């Protein structure tokens, strides 16, 4: 389906977020694209398993607490998108390697037709997407936009 400018009109836009600058730029771009295309925006964040030590992994309270905190954080992104004029916004939280999880599980589950991610990740323990951008661009079954 083409839009007014002759390009593809996307219906389900998936954006990967963390707190890095590039992810914030990707999020703002995804909002703009979703408004222009009148598309559903799907916001995802992935909890990396390698950031959890064995004792934390064994603690259901720890994992539940981390997931709940992430869900609350992602809900903030959802509210921003709705206030910015995106009509339909969903959120997806998953666990694993970010690039692989998005490509193999999140994209098929959401039926997205465009993935937008930042090019660089947040440094330190909470790096999510930047180091994964090349993987997602190479293996994604849908179009990928990497925002710098």
């Amino acid at each position: 389906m083409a839009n007014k400018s002759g390009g593809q009109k996307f219906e389900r836009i998936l954006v990967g977020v963390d707190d890095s600058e590039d992810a914030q730029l990707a999020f703002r771009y995804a909002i703009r694209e979703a408004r222009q295309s009148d598309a559903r925006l799907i916001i995802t964040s992935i909890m990396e398993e390698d950031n959890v030590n064995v004792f934390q992994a064994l603690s259901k309270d720890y994992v539940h607490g981390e997931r709940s905190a992430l869900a609350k954080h992602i809900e903030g992104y959802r509210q921003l998108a709705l206030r910015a004029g995106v009509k339909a916004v969903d959120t997806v939280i998953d666990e694993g390697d970010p690039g692989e999880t998005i490509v193999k599980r999140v994209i098929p589950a959401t039926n997205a037709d465009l993935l937008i991610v930042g090019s660089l990740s947040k440094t330190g323990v909470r790096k999510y997407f930047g180091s994964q951008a090349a993987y997602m661009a190479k293996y994604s079954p849908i179009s990928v936009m990497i925002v710098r």
Side-chain angles (χ1 to χ4, degrees):
M1 180 179 289
N3 65 18
K4 293 177 198 168
S5 64
Q8 182 174 355
K9 181 178 178 189
F10 298 102
E11 296 178 8
R12 300 177 66 81
I13 299 169
L14 177 64
V15 62
V17 297
D18 62 16
D19 291 328
S20 69
E21 273 187 48
D22 280 9
Q24 299 302 304
L25 288 172
F27 177 66
R28 288 194 294 275
Y29 185 87
I31 287 173
R32 229 178 3 258
E33 184 63 37
R35 279 194 322 236
Q36 288 174 353
S37 297
D38 195 28
R40 175 173 295 279
L41 181 63
I42 305 154
I43 304 165
T44 190
S45 194
I46 309 299
M47 289 178 45
E48 288 187 89
E49 294 166 341
D50 63 350
N51 289 339
V52 178
N53 70 41
V54 69
F55 300 108
Q56 292 168 329
L58 293 174
S59 168
K60 290 179 185 172
D61 290 339
Y62 177 81
V63 174
H64 179 71
E66 287 292 303
R67 193 172 181 92
S68 294
L70 183 56
K72 185 175 180 181
H73 192 62
I74 295 303
E75 178 60 23
Y77 281 103
R78 182 178 174 280
Q79 292 302 319
L80 284 171
L82 289 168
R83 285 196 301 272
V86 179
K87 294 176 185 169
V89 184
D90 298 322
T91 61
V92 175
I93 296 171
D94 207 332
E95 298 174 24
D97 174 75
E100 191 173 330
T101 301
I102 288 172
V103 168
K104 292 182 178 177
R105 292 200 308 247
V106 178
I107 291 171
T110 61
N111 201 28
D113 52 11
L114 174 65
L115 170 62
I116 301 175
V117 293
S119 64
L120 300 174
S121 67
K122 186 174 174 89
T123 57
V125 176
R126 291 192 59 204
K127 62 180 179 176
Y128 287 101
F129 292 103
S131 62
Q132 304 290 326
Y135 176 91
M136 289 184 273
K138 183 174 182 177
Y139 294 105
S140 174
I142 62 174
S143 297
V144 178
M145 172 169 282
I146 300 173
V147 179
R148 294 189 58 90

